[in-house]
Amino acid sequence: MANRQTAEAFVLIKEEALPLRYRPLSGEPVAVRSLSKFDHVDRIDYVEGKDYLIDYELGTIRRVEGSQIPDGALNPLYGLIDFNHELFADFSNRAYTIYVDYSTESITGNKGLTPIDLEKSTLLKRLISKLNSGEEALYVVYGDSISAGGEASEESLTYFGRIKSTLLDLYPQASIRIENKSIGGEDTHGGVSRIDEDVVPLMPDLVSIGYGMNDQNKFPEGNTTSLEDFEKNLRYMIDTIRKAGDSDILLVTPCEPNPLWQHTSGMTNHYANVIRRLGEEYGIGVVDAHAQWILELAAGKTPASLLLNNINHPNDYGHWIYSKAFVPMLKKS
């Protein structure tokens, strides 16, 4: 049965072909536009044959000469190694990112999740109780700039907005209110310093904790946060929330930053492993965005096609990758 892959992001370089994440079905419509929302009034719709070519047999897309699609090679960071983004006024991929819809036989998205899956998982007991009763549930999003929504075009397309949407699809009678207490540029030291003030008094039904991107940042004197301190800081946040009540907790692993950025330590997976291990130890859910991100890279997605700021902030498709990790977490448990 065919499924529709929607708003898959690409930054196309010159006339070089990039693989589509899934094999497209020949004869089915392909839509390519400048913005992720298909009905956005400011979008530019590109024309197959004139602006881009799809190779249905190989499953690739590429620009054609003279295309309206901006050439990603014009980004000032293109081709630079160990770059310092602060030396450039504009280094974003926003102007170069396109979004593609196509039909595929591969299964994509958050399909197959049922209320029974949530109830069997036991990871979201308090939240599910609220959703079943029809009471308003409070979801507190806590973390760094990615959890603040960094580079998503609107809240509904952030990973936490998509998780909310997935839950409401399963419980249409329910209501979920999001309180975002994330701060851009923050690492786990900052999270520890304000958890008692910014999270505990809200008595949330669900808290997601998303750190690691800024903690892994590399500097001459070492990473921002050592792995030992990273674990200690996460433990403090988890313990503090648990002592205050019975809030459900989800831990979120970070995506991979641009490997050519001078502050990329190459150790993001180690920070993600700390999060995975704490999830198992505490018996709380882990939204393993990092694992999903690695699968995308292995399938041929480029960092530029996933990171809108070209450094460490996911685009709309990147946030979808984050939210995609929500389903296997529940089914696995």
Side-chain angles (χ1 to χ4, degrees):
M1 180 179 178
N3 294 280
R4 194 75 175 159
Q5 172 77 330
T6 58
E8 181 178 338
F10 294 86
V11 171
L12 299 180
I13 305 296
K14 301 177 184 177
E15 283 81 51
E16 300 170 5
L18 285 179
L20 296 160
R21 181 63 177 86
Y22 304 97
R23 183 176 297 277
L25 292 180
S26 180
E28 295 292 325
V30 174
V32 180
R33 57 186 176 274
S34 59
L35 299 172
S36 63
K37 295 197 74 172
F38 73 91
D39 57 351
H40 198 291
V41 294
D42 295 327
R43 77 187 186 283
I44 299 171
D45 293 318
Y46 300 110
V47 180
E48 187 169 1
K50 179 182 177 181
D51 295 311
Y52 65 91
L53 290 176
I54 303 289
D55 188 318
Y56 290 88
E57 184 175 344
L58 296 178
T60 62
I61 182 172
R62 69 174 180 87
R63 294 175 71 251
V64 300
E65 188 175 356
S67 173
Q68 287 190 87
I69 297 173
D71 183 358
L74 298 177
N75 189 305
L77 297 185
Y78 175 72
L80 298 184
I81 298 174
D82 199 36
F83 64 80
N84 178 2
H85 67 284
E86 295 179 345
L87 300 179
F88 302 88
D90 182 12
F91 45 84
S92 170
N93 283 318
R94 186 179 302 276
Y96 307 99
T97 303
I98 61 171
Y99 297 88
V100 183
D101 301 343
Y102 58 93
S103 296
T104 175
E105 290 182 351
S106 303
I107 296 175
T108 63
N110 289 341
K111 297 182 178 181
L113 191 66
T114 68
I116 294 175
D117 293 322
L118 270 74
E119 290 159 13
K120 286 174 64 177
S121 77
T122 73
L123 292 176
L124 302 174
K125 290 182 178 179
R126 174 166 168 166
L127 178 67
I128 292 171
S129 176
K130 281 288 186 74
L131 298 180
N132 274 322
S133 70
E135 296 179 72
E136 181 182 73
L138 175 60
Y139 172 17
V140 171
V141 185
Y142 198 60
D144 54 27
S145 54
I146 297 173
S147 292
E151 305 302 326
S153 58
E154 59 182 59
E155 183 177 288
S156 67
L157 298 178
T158 61
Y159 77 82
F160 50 87
R162 293 172 189 263
I163 287 174
K164 172 184 174 180
S165 178
T166 296
L167 291 168
L168 291 180
D169 284 344
L170 299 175
Y171 298 90
Q173 79 282 5
S175 173
I176 301 174
R177 177 167 58 93
I178 291 178
E179 287 279 349
N180 200 315
K181 295 296 181 178
S182 305
I183 294 180
E186 187 172 77
D187 55 52
T188 51
H189 295 287
V192 163
S193 71
R194 60 189 184 87
I195 189 96
D196 286 287
E197 179 179 348
D198 284 2
V199 176
V200 169
L202 297 175
M203 297 182 291
D205 301 296
L206 173 65
V207 184
S208 62
I209 302 175
Y211 286 99
M213 180 59 75
N214 297 320
D215 296 271
Q216 69 82 40
N217 283 351
K218 176 186 68 177
F219 294 94
E221 64 275 15
N223 293 0
T224 299
T225 310
S226 68
L227 287 169
E228 181 181 27
D229 285 345
F230 183 67
E231 178 174 338
K232 180 175 68 175
N233 291 341
L234 285 175
R235 284 185 182 277
Y236 180 88
M237 287 185 263
I238 295 167
D239 291 338
T240 299
I241 294 170
R242 282 195 156 181
K243 287 176 183 176
D246 62 347
S247 300
D248 296 323
I249 302 172
L250 296 177
L251 303 179
V252 183
T253 61
C255 66
E256 283 285 337
N258 189 327
L260 301 179
W261 182 40
Q262 68 171 9
H263 295 307
T264 299
S265 66
M267 295 179 62
T268 309
N269 187 53
H270 296 283
Y271 289 83
N273 279 336
V274 170
I275 295 170
R276 295 173 183 125
R277 180 162 44 80
L278 290 177
E280 289 188 9
E281 179 183 331
Y282 280 91
I284 57 182
V286 175
V287 180
D288 200 350
H290 185 269
Q292 294 291 330
W293 200 271
I294 293 299
L295 290 175
E296 295 286 322
L297 294 173
K301 299 300 294 184
T302 63
S305 296
L306 301 177
L307 300 168
L308 199 67
N309 71 345
N310 217 1
I311 299 171
N312 56 7
H313 288 172
N315 54 32
D316 288 343
Y317 180 71
H319 276 274
W320 174 78
I321 295 169
Y322 266 69
S323 70
K324 191 179 176 185
F326 184 64
V327 171
M329 174 196 76
L330 292 169
K331 286 187 170 291
K332 176 183 176 182
S333 61

